């Protein structure tokens, strides 16, 4: 399981009557039936909610309305899907569409259609602005957001109530709450998972709350900025150094372990996403959620995460792909998917309807509020994949007993710059 929206609504409404006019036409012409090949990731955790069922129902409806277009969908686990698409492209057998985790490599190789090539104006305009921007390479959108999520600070309501603690709104309040929890024998007052599983996510959450980020205002890497160094010096000295992050070193703690510990009642606070709601509910654990605290109050932005849809040019089915994507991104279909898997809608129209629905708002409302101002990983950079590996490998060392945030962040920044310049 790293985001400004209100101005799109009127434009979408005014243009909605043209929703069936896809992109700029097609490459395949009107030569007959076309079968589109789609490779997609599985968001389910069992056979009862596998994404195969979602795509089967959706393509059945689409094919009934478009009898000259068939859609063949192959669904793979997240462990396999990116590798599977990579192999298909390498073998010269690219699918028409792929719904996976990253698009920048393929865009850099000129293998993808742009969103302008494919989508009707209302469909493209309906994407949430931060997500559209994150799908760009050199200001051209190639990655179309398919699923989104944000992060909030989760806290154990029982532990907070027994300690007389209010949810923190600043770093100082967070530290004070962690101290009180520790004094009452809580095993892990604040869980800080900087282990290799998803260290890049926890890192970005803290960078943003400290007023920094992976990149600067002109989208250049700024990993060793003064703000970022100060953030990790605070973590090292004021949380880890004071024994507020539990017995496991942050460099050795993975997100899955932290989530499991939270559901057992061993954790007072941690950063989490909607999946943690489901896990906690299954264990009967009562929790609260608040926006991530910042240095002096609520952080200006939180971390957003998105998965991507992309369309390959190899088979030349531009018009048919566009027709299908306009259908996929209809409000109903976006809502159906988001509700099935407790994810956030990627379009303005679906987000507004979900925010206005009492049941949806009660479940995902706090996450929805954070999405319009969230920031994502710099996924438009081909170098990001390797930079992320460096973060996972080294960031946990910054808060260790002999950690040197300035030196380690500088090391990651140097490797990031070299990787970017090599592209």
């Amino acid at each position: 399981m790293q985001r400004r929206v209100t101005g799109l609504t009127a434009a979408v409404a005014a243009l909605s009557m043209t929703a069936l006019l896809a992109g700029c036409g097609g490459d395949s012409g009107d030569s007959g039936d076309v079968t589109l090949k789609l490779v997609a990731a599985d968001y389910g955790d069992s056979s009862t909610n596998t994404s195969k069922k979602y795509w089967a129902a959706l393509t059945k409806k689409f094919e009934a309305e478009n009898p000259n277009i068939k859609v063949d969908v192959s669904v793979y686990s997240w462990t396999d899907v990116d590798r599977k698409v990579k192999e298909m492209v390498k073998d010269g057998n690219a699918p028409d569409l792929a719904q996976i985790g990253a698009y920048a490599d393929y865009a850099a190789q000129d293998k993808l259609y742009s969103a302008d090539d494919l989508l009707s104006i209302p469909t493209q305009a309906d994407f949430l602005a931060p997500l559209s921007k994150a799908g760009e390479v050199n200001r051209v959108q190639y990655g179309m957001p398919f699923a989104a999520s944000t992060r909030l600070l989760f806290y154990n309501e029982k532990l907070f109530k027994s300690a007389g603690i209010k949810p923190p709104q600043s770093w100082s309040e967070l530290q004070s709450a962690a101290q009180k929890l520790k004094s009452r024998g809580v095993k892990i007052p604040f869980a800080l998972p900087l282990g290799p599983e998803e260290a890049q996510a926890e890192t970005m959450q803290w960078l943003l709350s400290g007023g920094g980020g992976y990149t600067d205002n002109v989208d250049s890497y700024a990993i060793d900025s003064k703000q970022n160094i100060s953030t990790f010096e605070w973590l090292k000295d004021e949380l880890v150094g004071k024994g507020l992050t539990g017995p496991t070193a942050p460099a050795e703690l993975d997100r899955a372990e932290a989530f499991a510990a939270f559901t057992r009642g061993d954790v007072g606070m941690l950063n989490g996403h909607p999946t943690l709601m489901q896990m906690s509910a299954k264990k009967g654990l009562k929790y609260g959620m608040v926006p991530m605290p910042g240095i002096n109050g609520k952080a200006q932005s939180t971390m957003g995460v998105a998965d991507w849809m992309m369309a390959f040019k190899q088979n030349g089915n531009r018009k048919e792909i566009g027709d299908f994507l306009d259908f996929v991104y209809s409000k109903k279909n976006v809502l159906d998917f988001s509700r099935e898997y407790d994810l956030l809608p990627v379009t303005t129209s679906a987000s507004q309807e979900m925010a206005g629905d009492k049941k949806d708002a009660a479940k995902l409302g706090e996450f929805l509020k954070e999405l319009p101002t969230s920031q994502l990983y710099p996924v438009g950079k081909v170098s990001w994949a390797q930079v992320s590996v460096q973060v996972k490998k080294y960031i946990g060392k910054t808060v260790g007993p002999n950690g040197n945030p300035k030196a380690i962040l500088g090391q990651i920044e140097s490797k990031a710059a070299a990787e970017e310049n090599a592209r």
Side-chain angles (χ1 to χ4, degrees), residues 85-207:
V85 172
K86 186 176 182 179
E87 291 173 351
M88 293 173 71
V89 173
K90 184 179 180 181
D91 293 342
N93 188 32
D96 295 283
L97 292 152
Q99 186 273 297
I100 52 179
Y103 65 87
D105 273 344
Y106 303 120
Q109 297 169 36
D110 194 30
K111 293 184 179 295
L112 301 180
Y113 286 118
S114 71
D116 288 339
D117 290 332
L118 301 165
L119 303 176
S120 66
I121 293 173
T123 298
Q124 190 172 3
D126 200 22
F127 288 133
L128 292 170
L131 304 182
S132 289
K133 184 177 180 181
E136 294 178 356
V137 174
N138 296 325
R139 300 186 179 182
V140 177
Q141 185 181 359
Y142 295 95
M144 291 160 281
F146 184 75
S149 180
T150 56
R151 302 295 167 96
L152 294 172
L153 181 74
F154 283 67
Y155 62 92
N156 183 309
E157 283 191 345
K158 181 179 179 181
L159 296 178
F160 267 55
K161 185 176 181 179
S162 64
I165 304 171
K166 294 182 179 180
Q169 297 182 5
S170 66
W171 286 3
S172 60
E173 291 180 5
L174 186 150
Q175 185 207 48
S176 176
Q179 290 278 18
K180 291 179 181 179
L181 291 169
K182 181 183 178 183
S183 70
R184 297 179 68 85
V186 175
K187 186 176 181 180
I188 308 172
F190 186 92
L192 185 66
L194 295 176
E197 179 191 6
E198 205 191 30
Q200 82 284 1
E202 185 72 15
T203 296
M204 184 169 178
Q205 189 68 50
W206 279 100
L207 296 183

Side-chain angles (χ1 to χ4, degrees), residues 257-295:
E257 297 169 13
F259 278 18
F262 183 78
T263 64
R264 293 196 302 267
D266 292 337
V267 175
M269 299 172 280
L270 82 170
N271 292 316
H273 52 66
T275 300
L276 187 54
M277 295 191 304
Q278 303 171 29
M279 294 174 63
S280 298
K282 289 179 180 178
K283 294 287 187 176
L285 184 136
K286 293 184 178 180
Y287 60 89
M289 302 179 297
V290 293
M292 176 67 180
I295 297 177

Side-chain angles (χ1 to χ4, degrees), residues 23-42:
C24 304
D27 295 331
S28 59
D30 300 317
S31 56
D33 291 349
V34 169
T35 297
L36 300 178
K37 175 69 176 179
L38 166 63
V39 176
D42 195 347

Side-chain angles (χ1 to χ4, degrees), residues 3 43 128 131 145-150 274 304-307 337-338 342-346 371 376:
R3 270 164 186 258
Y43 288 82
L128 292 170
L131 304 182
F146 184 75
S149 180
T150 56
V305 178
D307 301 322
F337 179 83
S338 301
D342 285 337
L343 291 165
L344 303 183
V346 297
L371 188 57
L376 284 76

